[in-house]
Amino acid sequence: MVKRILTGMRTTGRLHLGHYVGALENWLKLQPDYDCYFLLADVQALTTHFDRVASLEDSVRQVVIDWLSVGLDPVKSSFVLQSAVIEYFELTAYFSFLANMGELEGNPTLKEEINALGMSKVNAGFMMYPISQAADILLFSPIPPSPGDELLIPVGQDQLPHIELTSKLARRFNKLYGNTFILPKAKLSEVPRLTDLFGDKKMGKSYGNAIFLSDDPLAVKDKIKAGITDPNKARRGDPGNPDICPIFSYHKIFRNHGADDIAIGCRSGKLPCVECKGVLAQAVNEKLDPFRDKRVRIEANPKIIGDVIATGTERARLIGRETINCVRHYMHLDYPSLSLNEISSTE
Ligand code: TRP
C-alpha cells in the first residue's frame, strides 16, 4: 500500500508565519506517516515572476532553509525542484487537452489572485497553472493503483478548486484511456488563513506586513507593535473587544490557553494594548527561536541545500518516469508496432 503526500509552495521568497500555521505545521504532523514529496514550485512561480527569473535562485534557497529549519526532514521526505522534473511538463501537455477553457476561467482562486495582484494582463501560463498543478499531483499517483493506496494533498482552503480540477482530470483520463490515476484527497490545515496584523488581508509578502520565519526578535516585536487593536478602545483603561482585535486572533493561534487570560484582561480594560502585544511578541519569538538556531547552522554549511534538492528531485524523477511510461502506454503514444522503444524513452 502506498501512502504518499504531494504538496508544494511557489518559490517567490522567504516564508512567513502564514505559511507556517497554514501549511508547514500540517506537513510536519503528517510527515512521520507518509512518503512525502514537497515541491519547490519554481515553474509555477513564473506565473508572476517570469520577468524576474534571477530572483528565483535565492527564493529556492530561502524556502529550502525555511523548510529545514522548521523540521521537515530531507532524509525521510523529498524536496523536489519542479523545473528539474521534466516529466511534469509532459503530463501538463497531455492534461491540457482534457480541461476546458471555461473551467480555467471560472476558477475562483485564479480570479482572486488576478484581483489581489492587480494583474492587467494575464499570461497563458498563468491561466494554465491549475492544469500543471494537476500534473504535479498526479505524477505521484501510485502506478499501478491498488486498493488502499493514498495520495494526500495537505493544503489551505484556497487550493481546493485546484484539487477538484485534479480529480476531474484524473477521472476523465481514466475513462478515456484506462484506469491510471487514483483520486487525490485534500487535507486542510487547522488554521485556514492567517490575517495580517492590520486585520483585513491575508498575511503575505506582497502586502509588506508579513512576519518572516527568519525575522530577528526585534523585527518581530516591531511588526507586532505596529499591528492594530480594537479601534473603539481609544484610551488606556477603556474596555476592549478581543473578538474584533487582530492581535487577539494571534494570541489564540500562538498561545492557545494563555489567550483566555488576555481576553479577560482586555474586556476589563486592565490590560493595556502595549502589554498585550509584548506578551504576544514573546510567544512568537519563543516559537521562532529554534528555527533561527537551525537556520544559522544551515547557513554555516550551505552545501546541504543543493544536496537535499538533488536527492529529493532524483527520487521524484524515478516516480515521474514510471508514471509517464504508463501514461504514454495508455494513451497509445508508445506505438508498439513501430518499435520506437529507443526514442520513446525519456531517459
Ligand atoms: N499553488 C500552490 C501555492 O500557491 C503551490 C503548488 C504548486 C502546489 N503545485 C502544487 C500545492 C501541488 C499543492 C500541490 O502555494
Side-chain angles (χ1 to χ4, degrees), residues 6-10 39 41 44 82 113 129 133 136-137 153 155 159 162:
L6 181 286
T7 186
M9 285 180 183
R10 289 181 198 173
L39 195 65
Q44 196 175 107
Q82 190 184 26
E113 280 172 334
Y129 97 70
Q133 187 155 329
D136 294 342
I137 294 169
I153 322 296
V155 281
Q159 299 295 303
H162 301 334

Side-chain angles (χ1 to χ4, degrees), residues 90-108:
E90 184 171 341
L91 195 56
T92 302
Y94 299 148
F95 282 165
S96 73
F97 303 104
L98 304 182
N100 305 313
M101 288 305 287
E103 282 171 320
L104 301 176
E105 283 155 4
N107 183 304

Side-chain angles (χ1 to χ4, degrees), residues 118-267:
M119 291 168 97
S120 52
K121 277 196 237 154
V122 181
N123 60 62
F126 188 97
M127 290 308 292
M128 283 271 293
Y129 97 70
I131 301 178
S132 72
Q133 187 155 329
D136 294 342
I137 294 169
L138 293 176
L139 198 65
F140 291 85
S141 177
I143 301 274
S146 15
D149 282 351
E150 240 186 297
L151 182 58
L152 199 65
I153 322 296
V155 281
Q157 185 95 29
D158 60 326
Q159 299 295 303
L160 287 183
H162 301 334
I163 315 281
E164 246 168 65
L165 178 71
T166 306
S167 296
K168 274 191 199 158
L169 295 179
R171 271 196 223 103
R172 280 177 206 160
F173 190 100
N174 290 349
K175 196 159 167 227
L176 274 169
Y177 308 120
N179 200 19
T180 311
F181 297 116
I182 67 169
L183 301 185
K185 265 195 288 180
K187 168 96 181 138
L188 288 181
S189 24
E190 273 164 40
V191 181
R193 188 176 262 214
L194 191 65
T195 56
D196 69 10
L197 290 157
F198 306 98
D200 48 5
K201 295 179 193 130
K202 177 170 136 177
M203 181 180 268
K205 196 166 71 87
S206 40
Y207 305 122
N209 55 30
I211 296 178
F212 294 100
L213 302 180
S214 49
D215 273 346
D216 63 44
L218 202 62
V220 170
K221 235 182 179 166
D222 286 345
K223 285 179 187 174
I224 290 177
K225 217 197 243 164
I228 68 153
T229 51
D230 172 4
N232 300 319
K233 179 169 160 51
R235 269 178 302 265
R236 204 184 164 94
D238 285 354
N241 179 2
D243 297 334
I244 58 164
C245 176
I247 297 289
F248 183 67
S249 68
Y250 277 61
H251 273 280
K252 281 196 287 195
I253 294 170
F254 293 100
R255 301 187 52 256
N256 23 44
H257 303 306
D260 295 343
D261 290 344
I262 293 286
I264 293 167
C266 177
R267 287 210 165 87

